[in-house]
Amino acid sequence: EVSLEERQSKATEDISRKLRSVPARKDRVNESLAALQEFNDNGGSLFHTKTRSRATSLNQQLHKNCMEEAEYLRKLLSDIEKLKELDVKAKTQMPMSRQQLMQFLVQQGETLPLWIGGVDGFPPASVGAVEQPVTAPLKAGDAVAALVDDNWILAEIEAALPGGKFEVKDVDDEQRKPLTLPRNCIIPLPKYRANPKFDQHAIFPRDAIVLALYPQTTCFYRGIIHNAPETATDMYSIMFEDPSYTTGYSPALPIHQRYVVSFRDPPDVRDRH
């Protein structure tokens, strides 16, 4: 069996090799663009009968090169994401101090990959605020908010079990004691950040009620969006419910997109089995 370290090494080599081909693909796009620009500068046009065939050919070539480059980069980004998953798996297999765990969670929030869709592509489930349907499969390693003893905690899917239940582990449990939960006690976390400039509908709006991971903890609490991200690198600004404040809410705190999901009332105890 191939070890995790060997898989990481092979994945790194493959990515390095593929990266070396990126400049040549970009050059092909630029060459096609320059040829079309020169053609237009010399009076060529799709609207002229004499030049229409040449104009069509140049546009088709440019489109082909652009699509090939985009597809190549998407596959490369997918490979990089798989390597990241291997790195995360390697880190989580090692014991962590409380401080290391908190740093790791912040890093996970900062490095959540950005969803890059097509020109007219609607972002799929797991991008920002776009939820997964309850019928969507969950796989080992998926990060989730899990309802345990009336608290939503940060957990990870260990395995799917018969009867629509899942085995999960509390990320803050050093003993890694398995927990068995039904699907309605699990909320998958986003797998991609949404870019507000292109996919505003995948961002929770101001005043939306959400569940969010409170800073320096592994628990999700109810809060209200005070400010939504305006750029792909911005965080949410969230006011958490807190009766110790006269307003009933804490001052706004910055929270990464990875750790913000739609608020859900805990299911009735009778429905948790």
Side-chain angles (χ1 to χ4, degrees):
E1 184 178 352
V2 180
S3 69
L4 180 58
E5 188 176 66
E6 289 173 326
R7 290 167 62 193
Q8 286 176 287
S9 177
K10 184 178 184 306
T12 301
E13 290 176 2
D14 287 344
I15 290 170
S16 296
R17 175 177 52 81
K18 291 177 181 178
L19 279 171
R20 290 193 287 271
S21 298
V22 171
R25 292 175 182 274
K26 185 171 291 294
D27 288 343
R28 282 199 289 271
V29 170
N30 290 334
E31 288 167 5
S32 296
L33 186 60
L36 180 59
Q37 184 64 54
E38 182 180 3
F39 175 76
N40 290 333
D41 291 343
N42 291 330
S45 173
L46 279 169
F47 303 105
H48 295 160
T49 305
K50 292 183 178 180
T51 60
R52 184 176 300 156
S53 176
R54 177 59 176 161
T56 299
S57 176
L58 289 172
N59 276 284
Q60 288 175 340
Q61 186 62 49
L62 175 59
H63 181 267
K64 178 176 179 289
N65 289 344
C66 286
M67 292 299 99
E68 288 179 349
E69 182 191 23
E71 181 62 21
Y72 189 84
L73 291 176
R74 289 183 197 285
K75 289 181 179 178
L76 183 55
L77 288 171
S78 177
D79 289 344
I80 292 172
E81 181 57 24
K82 289 175 182 176
L83 175 58
K84 180 187 169 188
E85 290 175 359
L86 291 175
D87 290 339
V88 168
K89 186 174 182 180
K91 289 180 180 177
T92 54
Q93 287 180 349
M94 300 171 60
M96 288 189 193
S97 66
R98 178 74 179 180
Q99 181 180 5
Q100 288 173 326
L101 175 60
M102 293 301 109
Q103 291 175 341
F104 176 73
L105 296 183
V106 169
Q107 182 185 48
Q108 287 293 95
E110 292 174 342
T111 59
L112 187 68
L114 178 67
W115 171 255
I116 303 174
V119 177
D120 300 314
F122 192 90
S126 296
V127 176
V130 183
E131 295 184 66
Q132 287 190 38
V134 293
T135 54
L138 299 177
K139 68 178 192 299
D142 283 351
V144 300
L147 185 63
V148 179
D149 298 329
D150 292 325
N151 294 310
W152 290 101
I153 66 168
L154 180 60
E156 184 178 294
I157 298 292
E158 289 276 88
L161 304 175
K165 294 188 177 182
F166 295 86
E167 187 175 277
V168 305
K169 68 174 181 180
D170 179 351
V171 300
D172 203 14
D173 179 11
E174 294 182 358
Q175 304 302 317
R176 297 180 179 273
K177 180 182 177 182
L179 303 166
T180 300
L181 298 174
R183 182 63 177 80
N184 62 355
C185 290
I186 296 172
I187 306 175
L189 300 192
K191 294 182 179 179
Y192 294 91
R193 281 179 293 131
N195 188 336
K197 292 186 177 180
F198 301 107
D199 298 308
Q200 184 64 47
H201 45 285
I203 296 291
F204 289 107
R206 181 182 172 89
D207 295 330
I209 299 174
V210 296
L211 280 173
L213 192 71
Y214 197 87
Q216 296 301 304
T217 78
T218 57
C219 291
F220 291 81
Y221 297 100
R222 176 171 166 151
I224 294 179
I225 303 293
H226 180 61
N227 282 315
E230 294 183 357
T231 72
T233 56
D234 286 346
M235 300 166 70
Y236 282 103
S237 180
I238 296 178
M239 298 185 298
F240 289 89
E241 285 190 347
D242 190 334
S244 65
Y245 291 91
T246 55
T247 61
Y249 291 91
S250 71
L253 297 170
I255 309 294
H256 291 287
Q257 284 193 42
R258 176 178 173 84
Y259 302 120
V260 182
V261 295
S262 295
F263 175 77
R264 183 190 300 177
D265 282 313
D268 189 279
V269 174
R270 292 170 295 182
D271 298 325
R272 302 184 194 179
H273 304 286

